Amino acid sequence: MAQLPSHNRRLIELRKHPRMPAPSSALMSFRRLVVSVYDETESEGEATLLDLSVGGCRIQSDIALTLGKEYSLILQLSRDNRPIRVETAVVRWLKDGTYGLKFMVLHSQEEIRIKELIKESRASSR
């Protein structure tokens, strides 16, 4: 079967939520919600926010996060705006210091702020 030339292929977006690359000035901190006294891994730290959607984010961190564990997040996307707080995010995947987090508890005001940021990001990239 002949393949279409690459310029005729369409990319199909399988993600549920549109995402935006994080601004270079973005900062992020995390804290594990439940820490066992027997767990000797670090439970809080900072990470580099790589991209963001209403449903989650992709981060890079030198501090190991644990697959399936829940964390609270503080996202500082710019110096001009107050931080976005994610009450609960769970680590869904990890690979070489990069982590995919799914937002489980995000207040509606914070969700609206993320949607507006993504909308602005898409408009400015056109």
Side-chain angles (χ1 to χ4, degrees):
M1 178 186 244
Q3 281 192 331
L4 293 173
S6 62
H7 63 276
N8 287 339
R9 291 187 205 152
R10 291 188 332 192
L11 293 175
I12 299 173
E13 179 64 56
L14 299 177
R15 298 185 191 281
K16 184 175 181 179
H17 304 287
R19 59 186 54 229
M20 64 175 252
S24 60
S25 61
L27 302 172
M28 189 198 122
S29 62
F30 59 88
R31 169 177 266 166
R32 194 141 127 220
L33 292 178
V34 178
V35 180
S36 166
V37 293
Y38 303 108
D39 188 353
E40 295 182 13
T41 60
E42 293 188 57
S43 60
E44 60 184 78
E46 295 181 354
T48 302
L49 183 65
L50 300 174
D51 64 33
L52 175 67
S53 78
V54 172
C57 63
R58 184 170 55 105
I59 67 168
Q60 188 169 33
S61 178
D62 293 333
I63 298 172
L65 281 75
T66 306
L67 188 65
K69 297 296 182 183
E70 295 179 336
Y71 294 83
S72 64
L73 311 176
I74 298 174
L75 311 173
Q76 183 68 54
L77 300 177
S78 75
R79 294 179 184 176
D80 301 332
N81 295 318
R82 65 181 169 79
I84 293 174
R85 294 187 176 275
V86 178
E87 295 297 320
T88 308
V90 65
V91 179
R92 301 297 279 182
W93 60 265
L94 54 97
K95 182 178 180 184
D96 301 326
T98 302
Y99 302 87
L101 285 80
K102 179 179 180 182
F103 299 160
M104 305 303 285
V105 179
L106 179 67
H107 293 285
S108 60
Q109 304 93 327
E110 306 294 39
E111 183 177 334
I112 290 167
R113 290 181 61 210
I114 293 172
K115 285 180 181 179
E116 288 172 355
L117 287 166
I118 292 170
K119 187 177 178 180
E120 290 170 13
S121 172
R122 289 184 165 215
S124 68
S125 66
R126 290 183 184 165

